Amino acid sequence: MSRAALVRLVLALLILGGSIALSVTSKPRLGLDLKGGTQIVLQTQDSPTVQANAESTDRTLEVLRGRVDALGVSEPTLARAGEDRIIVELPGLQDPREAARVIGKTAQLSFHPVVNVATPGTKPKDGQVIYKDEAGQRLVLGPTAVPGDLVSGSKPATDPSQGTGWYVTVDFKGAQGRDAWRKLTANAACAQMGTPPRRVAIVLDKKIISSPEVVSDIQCGVGMPGGSTQITGNFTPEEAKNLSILIEGGALPVPVKIVEQRTVGPTLGAEAIQASAEAAVIGLIMTGLFIVWIYRLMGFLATIALATYAAISYAALIALGSTLTLPGLAGFVLAIGMAIDANVLIFERAREEYAASSKTGLVRSLTIGYNKAWSAIIDSNMTTLLAAALLFFLASGPVKGFGVTLSIGVLASMISALIIARVLTEQVAGVKWVQGHPKVTGIDHLGRVREALRRWNPDIMGHRKIFLSISAVAFVLALVGIGVKGLDLGVEFTGGRIMEYSTSQPVTADQARAALADAGFASAEVQKADQSNISVRTGQITNEQQVEIQDALGEVGGNATKQRDELIGPSLGDELRNKALIAFGIALLVQMAYLAIRFKWTIGASAVLAMFHDVIIVTGVFAWLDKPIDGIFLAAALTIIGLSVNDTVVVFDRIREQWHSTKERDLAKVANQAALDTMPRTVNTGMGAMFILAALAVLGGESLQDFAIALLLGLIIGTYSSVGVATPLSLLFQKKWPLPKAEAQKKQKRVRDARDTGAVV
């Protein structure tokens, strides 16, 4: 075993061992669309005195955290998103009305005199209230003496030189604040024995957060002078910090507005997990059987390596602490189909090497196949990673989760193909019995598709004008569909509310529309989500109106159970729509820039125009079919960009290689041969991915079905466009901006040849 092979073996064992250990000992975080619950996105607003920025939003978040804890929800999650957004996730909470009431109101801070200790029979007088203090003792408090809006700030502090521990400073605004505080402490200093001595209470949202004692040197009727005070106690640094945050956050309330709200029933989440798992297993089995049929023993070993992809990607998800969402599951399943692409590229290259010289041998053919396929694998996967990165940085919610899992899946698939599969195939190929029976390996012949193409030898590029004409017609029809039929933009882009209900008795869409019209929702759009569910789409409505819709459906369908509820504010809808367009535009520019660096700007322009062609046609098909253009479609569209350029890169990589290794001066002939040489890989990879997407389309539910349909269309159109659009366009550009054959490029070729023949591994 060579040193490089030994390194790969050790690395493969370490990766697998670590992945399995992490998978067994930890569990991933599930998004609310998989485990059920409510997600609310709040946007902080400027107040007359406070700007809604990251600092004030953080203070608001800390105040809200205590409110959410009061709801009794297990494992709630609160996080700031951007400068002025707060995402609140409440697992298991199906009624968002209570959550909206609790977290949507502005914090109320006030300072009160402590009148007495409340006994079981104590009744407060007018203006008085009874609250528990920090120790759980019930206190009778007088009316508000200092309102929270007279507090200008609060900070934790300590003074080691004085031998004091941590304390909290409170600053008051102007003469009004100073006078109110002086009067409150003057009255507290007059407290008689038998009552809580010399105490005032600081109340936030009807809860005493601190009830400090007025120090003994403050005289009765005089009070504390100045515009600030200190709250002392046995505070830890964390306690002092939290208390100051609560006081300042309450004193400087930042109004919040609900801009997005999602509720998913636990049944829908469980069904999504099961459907995606079934699609993954069925797709993996079908893909594996197909690869074994095509590549025999090497295909079987690649399938074993492909199975490790699941363990690696699952462990990576856990290690990164990422949240697994419904589109994220689809990203993992999709990456299974993409994972096999690297193996197909390698095995097809190995077949060519073995057929070119019978003296090459199995191991050497595989080694050269891995080395020659390296650049195409890196380039094609990099373009997919770029699209996934754009989803992560520019999208939000579940679509962002899809970008994360797609990135993990692509990286895991490369590890599976380039490290684990290589270790398995090269070691098995070195066995004497296998070398004596090369037919079992599946790389001892060119394959039926390649042999048929060599016998036929079609001049594809000779008909490039016909291909471009067909594409132009399809492109125009897509634009007509978009213009005439219009795009059914989802609530993510338009704002509004979409709800999905299951009923105990069958209900038709017409019956549901009539029931909602009688309830005062005649403008609601009603559709059958599937055989048992009703989907309702409205404009901006309140949570109480949502309950009215649910009750109306319950009257005609028995018991109506909410499975999904999404509320998107109009401002957020505009923002998401703009982000979608920006993401699409940036994706095209980034892809073109990458290809221009790796190839030439004309190649990048050809690939980007082909990508634009693919996405527009898929969008046009969705317009003609009246299918929704939502966040899931955005994920599909950006993935189509990756899939489209993936195949285009493979073709252009072969064109570049043959252009610099032949004396042929006609790029059309070189491009035609490159298209024929890569077609077996295109067919085999496309079939593998189609198994996965077909399983998703059949088993994935309504949202994943549309996702799978979009990707199936994108895969078919993208495969065609790499040869029928991108390559012909590059030939048009060749006439004015020809690809050079410079000495520097010949030198680069000699370096690549040395690497390809095993001199550099």
Side-chain angles (χ1 to χ4, degrees):
M1 181 184 296
S2 67
R3 184 177 180 180
L6 180 61
V7 171
R8 285 192 291 270
L9 176 60
V10 173
L11 185 58
L13 292 175
L14 289 175
I15 292 173
L16 277 179
S19 299
I20 293 173
L22 194 58
S23 300
V24 171
T25 57
S26 305
K27 293 182 178 180
R29 294 172 53 193
L30 296 180
L32 291 184
D33 53 357
L34 295 180
K35 64 182 176 182
T38 296
Q39 180 192 70
I40 298 177
V41 179
L42 305 169
Q43 185 171 34
T44 55
Q45 311 286 312
D46 291 340
S47 72
T49 57
V50 183
Q51 183 180 2
N53 53 25
E55 183 180 358
S56 60
T57 301
D58 282 336
R59 296 192 191 113
T60 304
L61 187 149
E62 291 302 324
V63 175
L64 295 178
R65 194 182 302 280
R67 297 177 173 187
V68 169
D69 289 340
L71 287 172
V73 175
S74 62
E75 300 181 357
T77 301
L78 289 87
R80 176 166 62 86
E83 290 286 317
D84 59 355
R85 295 265 172 82
I86 298 174
I87 299 176
V88 183
E89 293 188 348
L90 307 171
L93 183 67
Q94 298 300 310
D95 186 356
R97 289 179 296 173
E98 181 182 2
R101 283 196 297 268
V102 171
I103 69 178
K105 61 183 179 181
T106 303
Q108 298 295 322
L109 179 77
S110 55
F111 294 73
H112 300 254
V114 177
V115 178
N116 210 331
V117 175
T119 61
T122 300
K123 294 183 179 181
K125 299 179 181 179
D126 291 342
Q128 294 181 344
V129 292
I130 298 178
Y131 296 140
K132 290 182 179 180
D133 65 7
E134 312 93 296
Q137 186 180 40
R138 298 172 71 244
L139 302 179
V140 179
L141 307 183
T144 299
V146 183
D149 57 8
L150 293 182
V151 176
S152 61
S154 178
K155 299 291 182 184
T158 185
D159 189 356
S161 64
Q162 299 296 324
T164 59
W166 283 87
Y167 57 86
V168 177
T169 64
V170 181
D171 300 322
F172 298 96
K173 294 179 183 176
Q176 184 180 1
R178 293 194 298 270
D179 291 344
W181 177 248
R182 183 190 58 77
K183 183 177 180 180
L184 173 61
T185 54
N187 293 334
C190 298
Q192 301 298 315
M193 298 298 293
T195 63
R198 307 169 66 89
R199 292 170 71 186
V200 297
I202 305 175
V203 177
L204 179 68
D205 290 343
K206 300 182 179 180
K207 180 181 178 181
I208 297 176
I209 60 174
S210 182
S211 54
E213 179 183 350
V214 176
V215 293
S216 58
D217 56 351
I218 299 300
Q219 299 179 10
C220 173
V222 177
M224 298 181 68
S228 65
T229 187
Q230 295 179 359
I231 302 175
T232 58
N234 296 320
F235 296 130
T236 65
E238 189 66 24
E239 289 171 342
K241 176 184 176 182
N242 290 339
L243 179 58
S244 69
I245 288 175
L246 288 174
I247 292 175
E248 188 167 3
L252 302 175
V254 180
V256 293
K257 177 183 179 182
I258 297 177
V259 294
E260 182 179 358
Q261 178 179 296
R262 301 176 187 268
T263 300
V264 178
T267 302
L268 189 64
E271 290 175 350
I273 294 176
Q274 182 179 358
S276 297
E278 290 176 353
V281 171
I282 293 174
L284 183 60
I285 292 174
M286 294 180 67
T287 301
L289 291 175
F290 176 74
I291 295 302
V292 171
W293 178 58
I294 296 295
Y295 299 109
R296 301 177 187 175
L297 179 58
M298 294 298 106
F300 175 73
L301 296 174
T303 301
I304 293 176
L306 183 62
T308 65
Y309 149 82
I312 297 171
S313 54
Y314 182 79
L317 181 76
I318 296 174
L320 293 175
S322 302
T323 300
L324 184 60
T325 62
L326 180 60
L329 278 177
F332 273 135
V333 176
L334 172 63
I336 295 174
M338 299 177 66
I340 207 64
D341 180 53
N343 291 118
V344 172
L345 276 168
I346 292 161
F347 294 155
E348 288 297 327
R349 283 289 197 167
R351 280 179 166 180
E352 293 178 21
E353 294 300 324
Y354 191 85
S357 175
S358 59
K359 297 180 181 180
T360 303
L362 291 175
V363 176
R364 190 168 180 80
S365 295
L366 277 171
T367 300
I368 296 175
Y370 276 102
N371 292 334
K372 281 194 171 183
W374 175 260
S375 63
I377 292 172
I378 293 299
D379 286 336
S380 59
N381 281 282
M382 276 299 298
T383 53
T384 304
L385 284 173
L386 287 172
L390 289 171
L391 284 174
F392 177 78
F393 287 109
L394 298 178
S396 62
V399 179
K400 181 187 287 287
F402 173 79
V404 173
T405 53
L406 181 59
S407 300
I408 293 174
V410 170
L411 294 174
S413 70
M414 293 177 67
I415 293 172
S416 167
L418 299 178
I419 298 178
I420 298 175
R422 183 165 188 173
V423 169
L424 292 175
T425 55
E426 288 186 344
Q427 292 305 308
V428 172
V431 176
K432 289 185 178 180
W433 184 89
V434 175
Q435 291 181 348
H437 300 79
K439 288 186 178 181
V440 302
T441 64
I443 63 173
D444 68 312
H445 61 284
L446 291 174
R448 296 178 181 178
V449 174
R450 190 184 299 275
E451 290 174 348
L453 287 172
R454 288 197 171 184
R455 289 192 301 269
W456 180 21
N457 194 28
D459 184 11
I460 299 175
M461 291 302 108
H463 301 87
R464 56 185 180 273
K465 292 183 179 179
I466 296 176
F467 293 137
L468 289 175
S469 299
I470 293 173
S471 296
V473 171
F475 190 83
V476 170
L477 288 176
L479 292 178
V480 171
I482 295 172
V484 175
K485 298 281 289 186
L487 297 178
D488 181 17
L489 296 178
V491 293
E492 292 99 326
F493 300 141
T494 62
R497 196 159 187 164
I498 183 168
M499 299 146 283
E500 188 173 317
Y501 303 92
S502 62
T503 55
S504 57
Q505 300 174 8
V507 177
T508 66
D510 290 337
Q511 290 175 321
R513 289 190 193 97
L516 295 184
D518 292 340
F521 300 96
S523 61
E525 298 180 17
V526 181
Q527 294 178 329
K528 288 286 286 184
D530 52 38
Q531 294 297 323
S532 58
N533 288 3
I534 293 290
S535 174
V536 181
R537 179 174 167 180
T538 68
Q540 299 292 319
I541 62 173
T542 65
N543 290 323
E544 285 71 21
Q545 289 174 312
Q546 177 272 318
V547 174
E548 294 177 13
I549 290 176
Q550 185 172 350
D551 292 341
L553 292 175
E555 291 180 2
V556 295
N559 184 38
T561 303
K562 182 169 58 178
Q563 299 290 352
R564 182 165 65 110
D565 181 5
E566 297 183 13
L567 169 66
I568 306 291
S571 61
L572 185 62
D574 291 339
E575 178 182 327
L576 292 177
R577 184 170 61 252
N578 293 337
K579 280 187 174 182
L581 295 174
I582 292 172
F584 180 63
I586 292 178
L588 295 179
L589 292 175
V590 169
Q591 301 278 23
M592 184 167 66
Y594 179 81
L595 294 175
I597 294 171
R598 292 291 292 148
F599 296 90
K600 188 185 177 182
W601 74 265
T602 55
I603 301 296
S606 301
V608 166
L609 289 172
M611 285 187 283
F612 186 72
H613 157 276
D614 300 344
V615 173
I616 291 297
I617 290 179
V618 173
T619 305
V621 171
F622 266 54
W624 283 111
L625 296 178
D626 293 322
K627 286 190 170 294
I629 305 296
D630 52 16
I632 300 297
F633 180 84
L634 171 61
L638 289 180
T639 308
I640 288 170
I641 291 176
L643 291 174
S644 173
V645 77
N646 185 293
D647 195 56
T648 303
V649 163
V650 173
V651 176
F652 283 153
D653 185 78
R654 184 62 69 94
I655 292 174
R656 177 178 58 184
E657 176 185 328
Q658 295 183 358
W659 179 246
H660 295 306
S661 63
T662 179
K663 295 181 179 180
E664 176 62 58
R665 309 299 297 182
D666 187 355
L667 185 62
K669 292 182 179 179
V670 174
N672 190 75
Q673 187 60 48
L676 295 178
D677 289 341
T678 57
M679 197 165 293
R681 168 263 166 198
T682 300
V683 172
N684 293 340
T685 296
M687 289 296 295
M690 284 182 185
F691 288 134
I692 303 293
L693 295 175
L696 271 179
V698 174
L699 301 173
E702 182 191 15
S703 58
L704 288 186
Q705 283 176 353
D706 288 344
F707 176 83
I709 290 171
L711 288 185
L712 275 171
L713 288 171
L715 181 65
I716 295 170
I717 297 170
T719 300
Y720 160 80
S721 70
S722 63
V723 174
V725 179
T727 306
L729 285 176
S730 69
L731 296 178
L732 288 178
F733 291 139
Q734 172 73 5
K735 294 180 180 180
K736 188 171 184 179
W737 300 283
L739 289 174
K741 285 190 173 186
E743 287 300 319
Q745 291 170 321
K746 292 181 180 179
K747 182 179 179 181
Q748 292 174 4
K749 176 187 175 299
R750 288 195 293 270
V751 174
R752 287 197 300 271
D753 288 344
R755 180 203 64 195
D756 294 342
T757 55
V760 179
V761 181

